[in-house]
Every structure is written in C-alpha cells, then in structure tokens.
Amino acid sequence: MTVLDKSAQLTRKDRGRHADRLFWALCVSAGFAVLVILALILITMVKQAYPAFSAEFFTSSTWIPNDPDGDGPAKPVYGTLAFLYGTLVVSAIAVVVAVPVSIGIALFLTELAPRRVRTAIVTLIDLLAAVPSVVFGLWGILVVAPAMTPVYNWLHEVLGGVPVLGALFGEPRSSGRSFMTAGLILAIMIVPIITSIAREVFATVPDSDKQAAWALGATRWEMIKGAVLPHSFGGVVGAVILGLGRAMGETIAVALVIGSSVQIAANLFEGGYALPAIIVDQWGESTGDFTAALIGMGVVLFVITVVVNLIARFVVRRAEIRMRGASA
Amino acid sequence: MTTTATRPAAAAPVPADLRRSALPLRRRLTDGFSKSLMGLALLIALIPLGLVIFHVASRGLALISWEFLIEDIPNSARRAGGGMGPAVAGTLVITGAAAAMAIPLGVLGAIYLNEYGKQNALARLIRTMSDVMTGVPSVVMGLFIYVSYVLVVKEQSGFAAALALGCLMLPVIIRSSEEMLRLVPDELRQASAALGARRWKTTVSVVLPAAISGIVSGVMLAIARAAGETAPVVLVAGTIFTSNWSLDGANTTLAAQIFKNAGEPFVAAQDRAWGAALTLMLIVLVFTIAARLISSRFAIKER
C-alpha cells in the first residue's frame, strides 16, 4: 500500500481552468476566421458591384467601358458574355488536354512504376505544381506562343476544310496568343492537381480486387480496366471537376497569352479574354462604374468557382464512401 | 461435397501455359500499347517542366547578378539595365507579413478542428469551407481586399497585398496542419492527460511538438505558393520603382514585375522579366526543398 499524496489536487479549481477556456476560445475564433472571410468576400463584393449588375451585364457581349462621348454609344456598356465564353472555352481546352495526361501519369505511378522511380516522379510533378503561374505566363507569351504559330498554321491547313473542325481551327493569329495557347498553358498547370487526386483515388482500390483480376489471368491493362478504373470512376470525376475549378480561376498566365480581344469566336486560334484576365488587365485604367463592373465579374467568378468546388468535393466524398463500403 | 463428386475420367491435366508469349497477340499488344501511353503521358507533362526550367535558367542567368537583385527598377520599360531590388524587397516583406498573419491563425484553426471540434457540425462546416476557400481564385481575393481594405483606408499598400496573400494561405495551412495533427498518436495525449496536464498544456507542449515538422513543411509550401501569387499584388499593391522595406505605402513583388514586364514589347523589359522569374523560381525552390527535407527528416511515422 502506498500512501496517497494528499497534496495532489485533481479538482478543476485552479487557475489553469481559465487558460483552458481561453485557449479553446482562441482556437474556435481562428476556425471561425475562415467562415467570416468567406462571408465578407460575398457581402463586401456584392455591395460594391451592385450598381454594375444589370440585364446587359449578363446577356450582352458588348464591352465599351471607356468611350462615353467618342464614336461609341453615349453610355458605357458593360456586357461580360465574351469573357464568360473565353473562360469556358479556355478551361474546356485545358481539361480535355490535361485529363488523359493526368490519368495516364496517375496510373503509371500507382500501377506501373517501381517504388524508387515513383518517388522521383512524384517529386517532379510536385515541382511542376510549384512553378508560379506567372512564370508559366512569361514562358507562354515569349516562348510558347511564337513557337506554336507554325503548328497552328499547319493544323489550320490540314483541318480548315473539314466542316465542324474547320470552324474551330480557323486562321491563326500571327502572335500565337489565343484561346488555344491559353488552354494549353492552363493544361500544364492543372495536370499536377488532377494527377495527385487521381493517384489517391487509384491507391484506394482494394488489393483483393486487383489480385482477383491477376488470378483470372488478366494482363496489366486488363487488370486496370477491370478492377482499377470502374472502382475509381467517381473519384476521378471529382478530380477533374477540381481541375476545372482551378482552370477557371487561373488569372495571370491566361491574361498574358489569351490575346486580349473582346470577342466571341469559334476559332480557337483567335484571341479572346477570360473573366479573371480582364480584371487584372484593365484594373489600372478603371474608375467608378468601370471598377464596379470588374468587381462584379469577380463576384461571378467567385460564385462559379465556389459552386464548382462544392460539387467536386461532394462527388469525391461520395465516391470515397462508396469505395470504403466496397473494400470493407 | 466430397461424397457426391465422381472424378471425371479425364486425361492428366495439362499445366496451363502461363508464359506471357502464350497470350493472344491482340491482348499483348493492347497491354503494351496502354503501358506506353502511360509513359507518354508522363513525358508530355515533364517536357514542359524541363522547357520552363531551361528557358528561365538560360535567359535569367545571363542577367542575374548581385546588382540585379538590389538595384532600382528603371521607370521606363524601354531602358536596359537596372534591377529588381524593389521587387525582391517587396516579395520578402509582403510574403513575410502574410505568413506572420496566416500561420498562427491557421495552426490555431487546425488545433480547433483536430483537438476540439473533431467531427461536430461546426468543425465539418469549417473543413468544407476551407476546402472551398482553397479554390477561391487569387484574383477574387485581391478584389476582396481592395473592396474591404484599400477602399476604406484609401491607399494601395504592401500591407493590403499581405492581407490578400494571408487569406490565400490560411485555408492551405489549416488543412495541412490538421492532417499533421491527426497523425499524432492518441497515446501521447492520454499520457499527458494522465500526468495531470490540462488540455491546452497537452496541446501546446505535447501534440504540437510532435507534429511540428509536418506543420512547418506544410507552411513552407504555402509560403512558396504565396510568393508566386501575382493577381492580388497587381490589384492592391500599386506601383513603385525604389525599394520599400515597410508595409506602408505602395510596393511591388517579383511576380507582379514579371507580369508587368512580360507584356512589354521591349527586349530590355522582357529580359528583366526573365531575371525576375529566375529569382522567384529560386526563392520558391528553396522553400519547397526545405519543406521536403524537414518533412522527410523529422516525419512522424504514419501508423
């Protein structure tokens, strides 16, 4: 028998109790900061942009912000349709190019590569993600755009006569700054994101499924097709939507290479504009209603990306739950 | 099962031919083809990476020097010479201030999520919303700070840019720190509690030190990302041609200068953009490598 030390006070009646409360309050308020910031973004920006929201803001593609008494109309016109169109086209190109590449890399990493090669490649892909977007933009405008012009010319010559493709692959601009260049640069930038999520998804495929495929005499590709891909479909869709969200919000690289012209053109080799690109491009020269219109486009962009992100998280989470059920 | 089966009077079983060459040609070809496609995908992604690094290094190295890093930016884009001193200073000051704001907030938020909130409704909401906030485009964050801060104080400043970058870093730090806190084994918390330590004491002196390497590496990656952010700086920091080491008043960063000079038709400006790009890449690289070293050297073994 030991004698209990009478001095030990195990009740909660000492000063430390307040410290505990204080620390808890500190942590909760830090957590709340996220919610507060998101709410503030919506409230303050909508308030500022409110005067810009009109029917023509969403339905017109005429953008004449600074010419109230020249040869243009008497009043500035803020129609944003052309920018919305540019954003959609550019991110569509990016997703179409990036998705097969990312899935290929993710499969290579999870199913094909030996462990040592795998870590090296993951490091390289992470490095790709670490390159700042403005550096891609610089490279895009000074190296890629001029280098791609002959390629575009060739594509135009080959495909220009084909009915539908001919419209998409029209006469290229001499500078090479176009929807296509912006989409390609964006594709490079979203590959690491889609790859890393797809990799996580592929890694959750239960080993028993794969071994079953092996046991049936499947080749590696048949194993991937029969066991890995069906299992990961939902998660990969989520990854693609996340990449799409990222592509839509990407600003600087697109602003540099998209060609800065306000138009809705089917020709992918023509210049255009995207929502985020026009905001940074024309910010310096804007005042009053013009600024409000740019902020209004920021609100539109915010809403789009939040919705896209929520959908992506929802899809990924649902796929995760289903996969856990399958592997249990 | 064993009683009813009658052994079929078959010939001795031929062992299955399991060699790869026994597969039908079509299956072998599809297999090989799909594998080479995967390799090709990897190549497609790595070529641009190699080219970017090559171009930035070769064009930037010609320019970069100690003078380039400290001299003022010429106020005419046409003029050759000069340097990126103000941009280097601005990058360090603004990113530093952003980190100083976002790190404590982010780590405390992560502690709330993992140590207190766990799976309750508020914690789940905060978790989802920080994921959403990670997806908010940087240009929107810039507009937000412009509307809610620059318009109020009526001055574009380095501090405004730091606020915007801080907002961009916050959700990244919260989520990565939470991941790291989750790896800390519960036994440590229980042992600390059994010794009579209070919750906050346990968290600060047991849980945090155990997770610190992972948290630091996540923070470093967030800093590297923030240092390269351009749009918010362009929107809220203003322009400047001489170094400003304070948070007050207009400022600029390497990323903003690359953006500005890349669009110029003058070779001198484009050269400066390449030089700034190399400088920025080196800064980002240092932080990324440091993050990797720290996380691999001191990682908690995943259980």
Side-chain angles (χ1 to χ4, degrees):
Chain A
M1 284 285 282
T2 50
V3 180
L4 281 176
D5 182 1
K6 287 259 178 66
S7 67
Q9 288 281 324
L10 294 175
T11 50
R12 293 175 63 88
K13 276 204 164 180
D14 58 338
R15 281 182 310 158
R17 188 174 45 150
H18 299 293
D20 237 2
R21 281 275 173 74
L22 190 71
F23 189 68
W24 175 83
L26 214 59
C27 292
V28 174
S29 34
F32 258 109
V34 171
L35 306 182
V36 171
I37 290 172
L38 275 178
L40 276 180
I41 292 178
L42 199 60
I43 296 167
T44 57
M45 281 178 57
V46 167
K47 192 168 148 250
Q48 197 68 31
Y50 192 69
F53 290 136
S54 59
E56 71 177 13
F57 184 81
F58 295 103
T59 56
S60 161
S61 61
T62 316
W63 177 258
I64 305 173
N66 254 346
D67 189 19
D69 45 15
D71 45 351
K75 210 162 71 75
V77 187
Y78 306 108
T80 63
L81 217 54
F83 314 131
L84 196 61
Y85 171 80
T87 299
L88 292 180
V89 169
V90 167
S91 21
I93 298 175
V95 167
V96 167
V97 176
V99 166
V101 173
S102 315
I103 292 180
I105 299 174
L107 284 177
F108 183 87
L109 288 172
T110 47
E111 309 297 339
L112 225 54
R115 181 179 293 269
R116 206 165 335 139
V117 178
R118 193 184 311 164
T119 30
I121 295 173
V122 168
T123 310
L124 283 177
I125 300 289
D126 283 353
L127 200 61
L128 193 61
V131 176
S133 73
V134 68
V135 173
F136 276 120
L138 172 72
W139 180 64
I141 192 175
L142 294 183
V143 179
V144 178
M148 286 305 274
T149 316
V151 181
Y152 294 160
N153 275 322
W154 177 77
L155 276 174
H156 170 60
E157 270 166 35
V158 175
L159 296 171
V162 186
V164 179
L165 291 179
L168 294 180
F169 299 96
E171 189 75 43
R173 290 183 146 201
S174 58
S175 69
R177 298 176 202 169
S178 60
F179 290 123
M180 190 52 119
T181 311
L184 291 178
I185 298 282
L186 268 186
I188 302 172
M189 297 171 61
I190 63 175
V191 159
I193 301 165
I194 304 182
T195 305
S196 77
I197 300 171
R199 213 157 56 85
E200 277 170 34
V201 172
F202 291 148
T204 61
V205 175
D207 262 349
S208 53
D209 283 22
K210 292 196 209 168
Q211 282 155 7
W214 290 130
L216 288 171
T219 60
R220 196 171 287 269
W221 167 244
E222 284 160 353
M223 184 277 286
I224 291 172
K225 202 174 70 170
V228 177
L229 290 183
H231 201 90
S232 351
F233 185 74
V236 171
V237 170
V240 171
I241 304 177
L242 269 185
L244 179 72
R246 178 74 199 281
M248 288 176 132
E250 180 45 56
T251 312
I252 291 297
V254 174
L256 283 171
V257 297
I258 198 171
S260 308
S261 51
V262 186
Q263 59 170 335
I264 296 184
N267 182 358
L268 300 180
F269 299 147
E270 257 300 333
Y273 245 133
L275 280 175
I278 186 144
I279 298 173
V280 286
D281 249 13
Q282 306 204 338
W283 184 254
E285 57 217 56
S286 72
T287 48
D289 280 355
F290 189 179
T291 308
L294 292 179
I295 295 172
M297 281 190 273
V299 174
V300 173
L301 195 61
F302 176 70
V303 172
I304 293 178
T305 47
V306 165
V307 169
V308 167
N309 266 284
L310 282 176
I311 293 175
R313 304 281 169 194
F314 177 73
V315 171
V316 170
R317 195 157 306 161
R318 239 189 34 172
E320 263 172 15
I321 290 169
R322 224 182 23 223
M323 278 186 290
R324 220 171 291 141
S327 58
Chain B
M1 196 177 127
T2 46
T3 52
T4 54
T6 49
R7 188 178 293 265
V14 181
D17 189 354
L18 292 177
R19 282 169 304 163
R20 193 176 165 73
S21 55
L23 285 174
L25 185 65
R26 195 182 53 84
R27 289 177 66 193
R28 249 187 305 160
L29 281 184
T30 331
D31 192 44
F33 182 65
S34 64
K35 279 184 200 162
S36 37
L37 276 189
M38 290 173 207
L40 185 70
L42 184 64
L43 214 61
I44 292 179
L46 293 186
I47 287 174
L49 176 66
L51 283 177
V52 167
I53 293 176
F54 168 74
H55 281 119
V56 169
S58 64
R59 302 283 301 264
L61 272 180
L63 215 75
I64 210 164
S65 65
W66 180 244
E67 284 73 37
F68 181 80
L69 294 181
I70 54 168
E71 261 173 40
D72 286 351
I73 303 167
N75 51 16
S76 154
R78 205 183 293 257
R79 196 135 44 84
M84 278 290 147
V88 175
T91 303
L92 296 179
V93 168
I94 290 173
T95 316
M101 287 185 277
I103 292 171
L105 214 54
V107 173
L108 284 175
I111 291 176
Y112 169 71
L113 289 183
N114 197 58
E115 307 294 316
Y116 294 100
K118 302 198 196 300
Q119 286 301 320
N120 73 18
L122 178 63
R124 284 217 303 269
L125 179 69
I126 292 176
R127 225 168 264 140
T128 311
M129 285 304 147
S130 23
D131 282 348
V132 167
M133 198 168 157
T134 317
V136 171
S138 61
V139 65
V140 171
M141 219 50 105
L143 287 174
F144 162 59
I145 295 301
Y146 179 82
V147 167
S148 61
Y149 179 79
V150 175
L151 281 185
V152 175
V153 303
K154 300 193 169 50
E155 183 206 28
Q156 294 190 313
S157 65
F159 183 68
L163 279 177
L165 294 190
C167 287
L168 286 168
M169 288 170 75
L170 179 63
V172 181
I173 295 180
I174 289 186
R175 294 298 270 150
S176 70
S177 306
E178 194 205 348
E179 288 294 314
M180 293 307 134
L181 290 175
R182 214 164 49 197
L183 291 180
V184 177
D186 252 351
E187 286 88 333
L188 287 183
R189 298 186 182 89
Q190 289 157 1
S192 169
L195 289 173
R198 292 202 168 267
R199 196 90 172 260
W200 73 271
K201 190 78 185 164
T202 302
T203 307
V204 171
S205 56
V206 175
V207 180
L208 270 185
I212 197 72
S213 67
I215 293 178
V216 169
S217 104
V219 162
M220 293 247 176
L221 287 180
I223 292 177
R225 285 295 291 278
E229 283 295 354
T230 317
V233 182
V234 172
L235 297 190
V236 303
T239 12
I240 193 177
F241 297 102
T242 51
S243 294
N244 176 7
W245 283 96
S246 90
L247 283 170
D248 292 331
N251 216 324
T252 191
T253 66
L254 285 165
Q257 284 302 320
I258 299 171
F259 175 61
K260 229 173 107 190
N261 285 306
E264 296 281 356
F266 313 112
V267 178
Q270 294 176 359
D271 279 347
R272 271 194 294 278
W274 286 113
L278 181 59
T279 317
L280 180 60
M281 289 271 278
L282 289 177
I283 293 178
V284 169
L285 204 65
V286 165
F287 274 97
T288 313
I289 292 176
R292 271 191 168 268
L293 283 183
I294 291 170
S295 71
S296 66
R297 205 52 73 73
F298 308 102
I300 318 172
K301 292 278 171 289
E302 212 164 321
R303 299 155 57 95

